[in-house]
Amino acid sequence: MRHVALDRARAGIEKSLARFVDKGKLSAADRDRMARLDPAWLDAQYNNRARIPEHQHLFDRWSRDSAIARDRSSRRLDVAYGPGPAETLDVFPSTRDDAPVLFFIHGGYWRALDKRDVSFIGPSFTREGAMVVVPNYGLAPA
């Protein structure tokens, strides 16, 4: 038995995709892949490493700059916020009692990276009086 809400949702998606094709913002082939939720096509859309050939250079720079930030900044590293080994956060405190807090969640599509890769975020904001908190979290299985 078909579900009416699912049929309506699919019809709405197909109508929206047709508008993008009509405006030249989406090819008919991509529309068809999206409409059937083709896993290979969807993976290609979210795989930024494949889209940015120099990604390793960027990651290396982030790592180097983050190590410097941790070395030169006031910080509390690996503060537990939950029972899991990945449930920790790094805190870059402010000298202000009423400091705003920047809670920076690293990217990686729940598949990659670590809070230590983005510590470089801290100094720019702490210099301006903010506290920076960078959480880690468990990554999705491959």
Side-chain angles (χ1 to χ4, degrees):
M1 182 171 154
R2 294 190 64 107
H3 195 278
V4 174
L6 182 60
D7 289 341
R8 285 184 184 155
R10 186 168 295 282
I13 290 170
E14 289 173 1
K15 186 176 179 180
S16 295
L17 292 174
R19 278 190 234 131
F20 280 107
V21 171
D22 291 344
K23 292 179 180 179
K25 295 183 178 186
L26 184 69
S27 72
D30 281 346
R31 176 206 56 213
D32 294 343
R33 289 183 189 116
M34 286 178 75
R36 70 174 186 272
L37 301 177
D38 177 35
W41 183 85
L42 289 171
D43 190 54
Q45 301 310 303
Y46 287 100
N47 186 347
N48 285 325
R49 291 181 187 197
R51 291 176 173 267
I52 303 171
E54 68 276 11
H55 71 270
Q56 191 57 54
H57 170 73
L58 297 172
F59 288 165
D60 292 345
R61 186 179 72 203
W62 291 359
S63 179
R64 183 180 60 250
D65 292 350
S66 291
I68 292 168
R70 286 189 305 277
D71 188 50
R72 296 181 183 172
S73 300
S74 175
R75 78 263 181 237
R76 288 194 56 212
L77 304 177
D78 300 318
V79 177
Y81 70 84
E87 294 173 343
T88 61
L89 43 86
D90 291 347
V91 179
F92 297 87
S94 172
T95 56
R96 289 177 41 189
D97 289 337
D98 63 343
V101 177
L102 170 66
F103 196 82
F104 184 85
I105 302 173
H106 71 78
Y109 188 52
W110 303 99
R111 295 180 178 182
L113 301 180
D114 182 277
K115 65 181 172 47
R116 295 180 64 84
D117 297 318
V118 294
S119 297
F120 68 88
I121 294 295
S124 295
F125 290 93
T126 57
R127 266 193 307 273
E128 297 299 321
M131 176 192 302
V132 177
V133 178
V134 185
N136 224 23
Y137 48 85
L139 300 178

